Amino acid sequence: MPEDWSSSAPGFTVEALGYRVRDTSILKTLSLSVSPGGVTGLIGHNGSGKSTLMKLMARQWRPTEGRLLFAGQPVGDWSERAFAREVAYLPQEMPATLGLTVRELGEFGRYPWHGALGRFGDLDRDKVDTALDRCGLTDLARRQVDSLSGGERQRAWIAMALAQDTRCLLLDEPISALDVAHQLEVLSLVRRLSREQGMTVVMVLHDVNLAARFCDELHALKQGRLVVSGGPGHIMTSSCLGEIYGVEMTVIDHPVLGTPVACAG
């Protein structure tokens, strides 16, 4: 665990969690902990339950079994506004921005603090200004979100979440539609924000090499169950990856970064 993880930041605890749709169990007696203040990755093959778990953590869906705690309190016990002040969630597919500028999108992040009819004051403007600055978007504040590149759009959504002033950020496949350069840009931003602000970040990622590079801990799911949890060094072994993905994988050290890199075959 990195020394700069903040013990005051909130985390999640999953206790024998289950989620069923009719006769199909998507998650099965899943138990794990998301450590506070760092970057946690959810990995595994398609259909393993990663996005389902993310939606449950974000209170988009309700579990059918078990318990899910945030900051030691069942997520269902939080009021909508109190939870929104603590947790920001960015799904796989973001809604249309309908001609909004980057700054206007950032201002939506202040909604949990004053509601639809509340006054947008100096504190709100300061929070939006800070969020845009941290995401490198100050010069793009007047641009329409729809006119931005993929990486810039993703940074704009992250800025909205930062303006929300939450202590936890949930990202469901935040780099799935981006090219390699923008993938690195977004993941570097997320990790830097976690380090600088003590923010708890949970991400669903498909690329295990990027997950190992940018996450502090990983939870691997398979067929709705937890396969293994641990730091990248623990997960990135041929035996672990074979158990997770069902294919033989070779692990080597990156020649420059020194981080583990896996390749099939």
Side-chain angles (χ1 to χ4, degrees), residues 3 10 16 20 22 53 76 119-120 140 170 187 189 194 218 226-228 233 251 261:
E3 294 180 359
R20 177 183 292 271
R22 299 184 180 87
L53 176 58
R119 182 184 177 194
F120 194 91
L140 300 178
L170 305 178
L187 292 179
L189 170 64
S194 175
L218 301 171
L226 181 68
V227 178
V228 63
V251 179
V261 177

Side-chain angles (χ1 to χ4, degrees), residues 90 97 101-103 105-107 131-132 135 137 140 143-145 148-163 186 189:
L90 300 183
T97 51
T101 66
V102 171
R103 182 172 187 84
L105 179 62
E107 291 173 353
L132 295 180
C135 293
L137 295 170
L140 300 178
R143 285 270 302 274
Q144 289 193 1
V145 177
L148 302 178
S149 69
E152 290 168 340
R153 281 197 301 273
Q154 193 65 292
R155 282 193 283 135
W157 283 105
I158 293 173
M160 184 199 72
L162 286 181
V186 168
L189 170 64

Side-chain angles (χ1 to χ4, degrees), residues 207-249:
D207 189 318
V208 68
N209 290 318
L210 290 177
R213 178 173 172 180
F214 288 98
C215 295
D216 300 302
E217 65 179 1
L218 301 171
H219 297 294
L221 276 62
K222 186 175 184 178
Q223 297 178 345
R225 300 184 186 276
L226 181 68
V227 178
V228 63
S229 295
H234 177 69
I235 301 294
M236 295 292 284
T237 65
S238 297
S239 58
C240 268
L241 294 175
E243 185 177 4
I244 296 167
Y245 294 104
V247 295
E248 184 177 345
M249 303 187 78

Side-chain angles (χ1 to χ4, degrees), residues 7-229:
S7 59
S8 64
F12 283 90
T13 303
V14 178
E15 299 178 347
L17 196 69
Y19 185 74
R20 177 183 292 271
V21 178
R22 299 184 180 87
D23 296 328
T24 303
S25 291
I26 310 299
L27 294 179
K28 308 163 188 175
T29 59
L30 187 68
S31 295
L32 56 85
S33 294
V34 172
S35 299
V39 182
T40 294
L42 302 178
I43 63 172
H45 59 75
N46 290 339
S48 61
K50 305 183 299 298
S51 292
T52 297
L53 176 58
M54 181 70 73
K55 287 183 172 66
L56 293 172
M57 295 171 71
R59 296 206 334 169
Q60 302 295 301
W61 296 344
R62 292 180 177 271
T64 52
E65 299 174 12
R67 294 205 310 165
L68 178 57
L69 309 176
F70 174 71
Q73 183 177 346
V75 294
D77 291 353
W78 289 78
S79 70
E80 286 191 17
R81 179 168 289 188
F83 192 76
R85 289 177 174 181
E86 292 285 340
V87 180
Y89 166 60
L90 300 183
Q92 292 181 36
E93 297 183 9
M94 305 306 300
T97 51
L98 301 175
L100 291 175
T101 66
V102 171
R103 182 172 187 84
E104 288 168 340
L105 179 62
E107 291 173 353
F108 274 101
R110 300 304 299 161
Y111 178 84
W113 296 92
H114 56 67
L117 301 178
R119 182 184 177 194
F120 194 91
D122 291 340
L123 176 62
D124 300 298
R125 280 184 282 273
D126 288 344
K127 293 291 184 181
V128 174
D129 287 342
T130 299
L132 295 180
D133 179 64
R134 285 187 174 275
C135 293
L137 295 170
T138 300
D139 292 341
L140 300 178
R142 296 185 178 182
R143 285 270 302 274
Q144 289 193 1
V145 177
D146 291 340
S147 72
L148 302 178
S149 69
E152 290 168 340
R153 281 197 301 273
Q154 193 65 292
R155 282 193 283 135
W157 283 105
I158 293 173
M160 184 199 72
L162 286 181
Q164 195 171 325
D165 207 24
T166 60
R167 295 190 294 163
C168 181
L169 180 59
L170 305 178
L171 303 171
D172 193 353
E173 298 190 33
I175 59 171
S176 61
L178 304 180
D179 59 37
V180 173
H182 286 127
Q183 288 178 358
L184 295 175
E185 174 189 0
V186 168
L187 292 179
S188 296
L189 170 64
V190 169
R191 186 172 62 177
R192 176 171 60 81
L193 293 173
S194 175
R195 293 292 192 268
E196 292 177 351
Q197 301 188 198
M199 178 182 289
T200 301
V201 178
V202 186
M203 298 189 290
V204 172
L205 294 171
H206 277 291
D207 189 318
V208 68
N209 290 318
L210 290 177
R213 178 173 172 180
F214 288 98
C215 295
D216 300 302
E217 65 179 1
L218 301 171
H219 297 294
L221 276 62
K222 186 175 184 178
Q223 297 178 345
R225 300 184 186 276
L226 181 68
V227 178
V228 63
S229 295

